[in-house]
Amino acid sequence: MKIVVIGGTGLIGSKVVAILRQGGHEVVAASLKSGVNIITGEGLKEAMAGAQVVVDLANSPSFEDKAVLEFFQTAGRNIFAAEAATGIRHHVALSIVGSERTPENGYFRAKVAQEKLIEASGIPYTIVRATQFMEFLGAIAGSATQGNIIRMSPGPFQPIAAEDVAAVVADVALAAPRNGKIDIAGPDRAPFDEIVARYLKAVGDPRNVVRDPDALYFGGRVGEHSLVPTGEARLGRITLDAWLSQARTKA
C-alpha cells in the first residue's frame, strides 16, 4: 500500500514513516524538503498519485492565534482538493484530546477548526486525538516559569509518549476509515503540577513547582476534563516512570 505522511520528518511523522516502511509499505514522507508545500498546494497531487491513504501530521510554524488558524484552514483545503483529485480512500489526522473544551487556547481552537474541515471534506477519515506528549514536558514547564518558580494547575493530566502516538497512528492508517474520532492517552493520570514536578526531578532541574488552581495552560484554564479523555480511550504502553527513566539518562 502507498501511504503519504505529511509532516513525515517531524517528531511523530518520522516514527510513523519508520513503522509503516518496516511493515513493507511504500511511504512518501511529504515535507518542504521533498518539494511538497501544503500552503501553496505545490507537489501535493504528485505525492499522492497512486496512494490510498494520507496521514496528516503537519504543524503550524507559528502558534500565534490568527496564524495557526490560517495554517490549518489553508493546508486543509489544499490537502482535501488533492485527495479528491487523486482518489485517496482514507485521511488520517492527529488532533488533541479536549481541544473543544479549552476555547481560550488559540491553538486548540485551530485544531477544532481543522477537525470540522476534515468532517466536511467528503473524504473518508479517522481523527486520532492525543493528550499532550511527554516529550513536551520541558517546554510546558518553560512556558509557566517565572524566575525559579513554575506555577501549574492541579487539574488532571495524562501525557502520552510520542512512540505510543506513532504506533496508534500507523495502526489507524492501515485500518478502515472510522469517519469518527479515537482518543488516546498515556497509562498514568495525575495532577498536572505533580507530573511536571516529577519531570523536573528526573532531569535534575532545580526549579520549584507551585500548585496554583488559577494557573493557565497557554491561555486556558485546566478544568477537571480539559486535557484528559472523558470517555473511552486507547491507552499507550509506555508509563510515565519508564519515560522519565529515559529522560533522566539523556539529561
Side-chain angles (χ1 to χ4, degrees):
M1 181 186 298
K2 180 178 177 181
I3 302 168
V4 177
V5 180
I6 298 172
T9 58
L11 173 64
I12 305 299
S14 58
K15 293 176 170 59
V16 171
V17 167
I19 293 169
L20 293 173
R21 284 178 176 165
Q22 287 168 6
H25 300 282
E26 179 187 354
V27 184
V28 175
S31 67
L32 287 173
K33 292 181 180 179
S34 66
V36 177
N37 188 325
I38 57 177
I39 297 302
T40 65
E42 180 184 0
L44 275 172
K45 290 181 182 178
E46 292 80 1
M48 292 181 192
Q52 291 78 45
V53 179
V54 169
V55 180
D56 182 9
L57 302 173
N59 205 358
S60 173
S62 169
F63 282 12
E64 188 273 326
D65 288 3
K66 183 179 178 181
V68 71
L69 179 61
E70 289 180 350
F71 174 88
F72 283 119
Q73 289 181 326
T74 301
R77 286 191 289 266
N78 288 334
I79 291 168
F80 299 135
E83 289 178 346
T86 55
I88 295 299
R89 299 200 290 263
H90 189 186
H91 177 94
V92 180
L94 183 61
S95 192
I96 305 170
V97 165
S99 53
E100 75 284 1
R101 298 192 291 271
T102 311
E104 306 92 346
N105 184 313
Y107 186 84
F108 283 17
R109 289 198 302 273
K111 295 301 284 186
V112 170
Q114 181 190 30
E115 290 184 11
K116 290 179 179 178
L117 281 173
I118 293 168
E119 292 166 348
S121 69
I123 307 293
Y125 70 91
T126 306
I127 298 171
V128 179
R129 306 201 314 171
T131 54
Q132 311 303 295
F133 303 160
M134 293 180 188
E135 285 76 5
F136 293 167
L137 285 172
I140 289 170
S143 72
T145 298
Q146 295 177 327
N148 195 44
I149 300 297
I150 300 173
R151 296 190 178 277
M152 300 299 305
S153 165
F157 195 55
Q158 195 171 347
I160 185 170
E163 185 177 328
D164 280 337
V165 176
V168 173
V169 170
D171 186 44
V172 167
L174 299 176
R178 291 196 176 206
N179 290 318
K181 304 170 184 176
I182 300 172
D183 281 2
I184 62 174
D188 304 305
R189 182 181 294 194
F192 205 164
D193 60 305
E194 290 183 13
I195 289 179
V196 172
R198 287 168 64 185
Y199 167 78
L200 295 176
K201 182 178 180 181
V203 300
D205 191 314
R207 286 175 292 175
N208 296 315
V209 177
V210 173
R211 174 173 289 202
D212 182 355
D214 294 323
L216 301 180
Y217 177 58
F218 293 108
R221 293 190 178 277
V222 181
E224 185 178 355
H225 304 300
S226 297
L227 301 174
V228 295
T230 57
E232 182 180 350
R234 187 165 167 178
L235 301 184
R237 63 177 183 82
I238 299 173
T239 65
L240 181 61
D241 281 342
W243 187 86
L244 288 176
S245 179
Q246 294 179 344
R248 184 181 297 111
T249 302
K250 295 176 182 178

